[in-house]
Amino acid sequence: MKQSFLFGKTRVEDPKDETSINAKLLMRAGFVDKLAAGIYSYLPLGLRVLYKIQNIVREEMNAIGGQELLLPALHPRASWEQTGRWNEDVMFKTQGHGGQDYGLGWTHEEIITPLVARFVSSHKDLPLALYQMQTKFRNEPRAKSGILRGREFNMKDLYSFHRDTHDLDAFYERALQAYSRVFERCGIPALVVEASGGSFSKYSHEFQMPTDSGEDIVYSCSACGRHQNKEIVEGNACPSCGGDRQELKAIEVGNIFKLGTRFSEPCGLRYADEQGKEQPVIMGCYGIGPSRVMGSVVEASHDTKGIIWPETVAPFKVHIVALGSSEAVISTAGALYTALHESAVDVLYDDRDMSAGAKFADSDLIGIPYRVVVSERTLKQGSVELKKRRSDETILVDVGELVRTLSK
Ligand code: ATP
Ligand code: MG
């Protein structure tokens, strides 16, 4: 894409009412815009990152047998009354013209369980894993962490359905591995942390990225590698090895739960076993916030000049920066842009009429992994400059070699 065409502009000043690093950098660089506390628009650059993260999540969910669907966000009150959760403070509520009550979805057990009950009746229909990527609404009391804590945010929620706990346990383990792969691919160093299990099992598992901007506290044992959320910690010693534990601040990027029959019982989700006997379906649920992941990447990967995107989630792989407006520069930059594009390399081309300093500042702020500088000076030797956002080193690459170097 040509930068002169791109919607959204960079800003030099930090937004006044944001304190978090992710919000400051993402807003200054033109990835998101704030409408109100916890409510953000995703501009074209930001949406590209969100889609990259979602696609990584999608690939990993499909790989463990997940099927994607899309559930409604607007829920009639009756759906929530069947499980007794209509009055949870987290739900935004609204009314229809006839006075009917609706809630905006903050999670979807109440919707998916009755849906599955309409299609599943036999042990032959199980196991089953369904997921969606959707906007969730939560009436969060504190929304001061930029896109880490939205009142409206994107979530991938997967629900699994099993005939017994043994089958759930096996799937849960595969989901845990899939989650680890998601965070690794996104460049997020996430710890697997035991947290409160809610209604069914002793623990759930959270994926926590240690960072000072985190709102959670994790007790981490470096001796044996067991990590626990502070909410379930009893005493300072590690329950596995007795070793001392370190207290870390962290961001929860994912959470997986064994639900058992908490939702299948009230929603009437049952199946007939081999003997024809009715049994409740055993469930698990697995959440990741792609928008929170995006904010976490920024918290983990930036410097004083701006964002440093890992290649896997970057809005573009290559940023071509053309300096000056000589015929040689414009025609070379244009030809490289076309050639990279044709080799399926995502490229942003800064074709704007601006000073070198301003272009470099924008390029560092936006944080695309590879920068190609096309200037008179190096074109005299038939080359362009190639620099990684992550390092200070610049190398000269023959114009004719660039596409091959970058499409590797
Ligand atoms: P928290 O404790 O941070 O409020 P939670 O435990 O309520 O989160 P879950 O219900 O476990 O969140 O949601 C699954 C995932 O959705 C979380 O791990 C996180 O990645 C994401 N998520 C939850 N709440 C938000 C939010 N307000 N904004 C952005 N992402 C969120
Ligand atoms: Mg959670």
Side-chain angles (χ1 to χ4, degrees):
M1 183 183 287
K2 290 188 174 170
Q3 213 166 332
S4 58
F5 177 77
L6 178 69
F7 176 70
K9 284 200 174 98
T10 58
R11 306 187 219 167
V12 179
E13 297 294 326
D14 277 336
K16 276 191 216 66
D17 50 353
E18 293 281 7
T19 50
S20 68
I21 288 170
N22 75 86
K24 285 183 190 170
L25 288 175
L26 288 168
M27 286 175 70
R28 279 186 48 209
F31 286 73
V32 304
D33 187 69
K34 182 177 182 171
L35 178 63
I39 311 177
Y40 293 87
S41 300
Y42 285 72
L43 309 187
L45 275 181
L47 193 59
R48 292 181 74 96
V49 176
L50 192 66
Y51 282 165
K52 292 242 165 124
I53 294 169
Q54 288 182 340
N55 275 332
I56 290 173
V57 174
R58 185 172 278 124
E59 282 176 17
E60 297 295 345
M61 295 304 106
N62 291 345
I64 58 170
Q67 298 181 57
E68 188 168 2
L69 46 55
L70 183 60
L71 302 168
L74 189 61
H75 305 166
R77 175 178 181 153
S79 295
W80 289 86
E81 283 189 330
Q82 58 187 338
T83 57
R85 294 208 292 180
W86 170 249
N87 283 321
E88 299 267 330
D89 288 340
V90 63
M91 189 142 61
F92 282 109
K93 292 175 179 172
T94 187
Q95 281 192 337
H97 288 303
Q100 317 89 320
D101 288 321
Y102 294 96
L104 294 182
W106 56 278
T107 183
H108 279 76
E109 287 84 358
E110 277 78 352
I111 310 305
I112 198 154
T113 315
L115 171 71
V116 169
R118 284 194 279 284
F119 295 93
V120 163
S121 55
S122 152
H123 62 92
K124 291 180 197 146
D125 300 323
L126 300 172
L128 179 64
L130 300 169
Y131 72 97
Q132 63 169 345
M133 307 225 183
Q134 206 202 36
T135 302
K136 294 277 194 274
F137 300 88
R138 291 188 181 185
N139 198 353
E140 300 276 0
R142 296 160 291 120
K144 293 184 198 135
S145 302
I147 63 167
L148 296 179
R149 186 173 295 288
R151 295 204 164 101
E152 174 181 326
F153 61 95
N154 185 262
M155 197 201 283
K156 184 286 301 174
D157 41 334
L158 180 140
Y159 304 88
S160 72
F161 304 88
H162 310 270
R163 46 196 305 177
D164 54 34
T165 55
H166 179 74
D167 196 53
L168 167 65
D169 291 350
F171 183 83
Y172 187 90
E173 186 53 36
R174 290 174 68 203
L176 192 144
Q177 300 302 335
Y179 268 48
S180 300
R181 284 192 296 275
V182 165
F183 297 121
E184 200 185 306
R185 289 178 65 183
C186 292
I188 288 189
L191 303 174
V192 180
V193 174
E194 288 162 11
S196 65
S199 48
F200 182 65
S201 61
K202 188 164 176 209
Y203 297 131
S204 72
H205 288 93
E206 292 175 343
F207 293 78
Q208 293 273 5
M209 183 188 92
T211 165
D212 282 341
S213 54
E215 293 182 5
D216 283 17
I217 299 194
V218 172
Y219 276 49
S220 163
C221 176
S222 50
C224 73
R226 183 165 176 187
H227 313 290
Q228 291 190 306
N229 193 307
K230 187 175 182 177
E231 66 187 15
I232 59 159
V233 161
E234 293 164 7
N236 277 324
C238 171
S240 287
C241 72
D244 281 343
R245 293 195 280 185
Q246 212 190 339
E247 214 182 279
L248 305 171
K249 283 187 166 177
I251 301 172
E252 180 202 310
V253 282
N255 202 181
I256 61 178
F257 293 85
K258 294 179 184 177
L259 298 171
T261 58
R262 165 71 181 90
F263 297 96
S264 48
E265 293 276 22
C267 299
L269 173 56
R270 311 183 133 259
Y271 72 96
D273 67 15
E274 272 101 341
Q275 284 73 46
K277 197 167 163 255
E278 293 263 301
Q279 306 280 0
V281 170
I282 307 294
M283 290 173 57
C285 76
Y286 315 80
I288 285 189
S291 52
R292 184 178 285 184
V293 168
M294 176 171 160
S296 302
V297 171
V298 177
E299 296 283 337
S301 186
H302 66 271
D303 62 15
T304 52
K305 295 178 191 160
I307 305 169
I308 306 174
W309 292 108
E311 208 174 308
T312 48
V313 302
F316 294 94
K317 176 175 174 179
V318 180
H319 198 176
I320 297 179
V321 178
L323 300 186
S325 49
S326 72
E327 166 60 24
V329 165
I330 297 302
S331 65
T332 307
L336 288 174
Y337 170 60
T338 308
L340 283 168
H341 200 75
E342 282 168 359
S343 306
V345 177
D346 284 340
V347 48
L348 181 65
Y349 168 25
D350 191 348
D351 60 334
R352 300 171 304 168
D353 183 14
M354 278 168 45
S355 74
K359 285 189 167 188
F360 287 148
D362 276 2
S363 172
D364 283 334
L365 180 60
I366 293 170
I368 292 168
Y370 294 93
R371 179 200 291 169
V372 173
V373 178
V374 183
S375 70
E376 285 275 359
R377 189 170 59 80
T378 63
L379 280 184
K380 285 192 185 121
Q381 309 155 49
S383 55
V384 291
E385 285 179 332
L386 178 62
K387 181 186 168 297
K388 285 188 188 160
R389 174 67 180 87
R390 216 174 263 290
S391 86
D392 288 329
E393 189 197 344
T394 297
I395 58 167
L396 285 181
V397 178
D398 263 19
V399 172
E401 288 298 309
L402 185 79
V403 172
R404 187 144 34 125
T405 307
L406 286 172
S407 47
K408 281 199 279 234

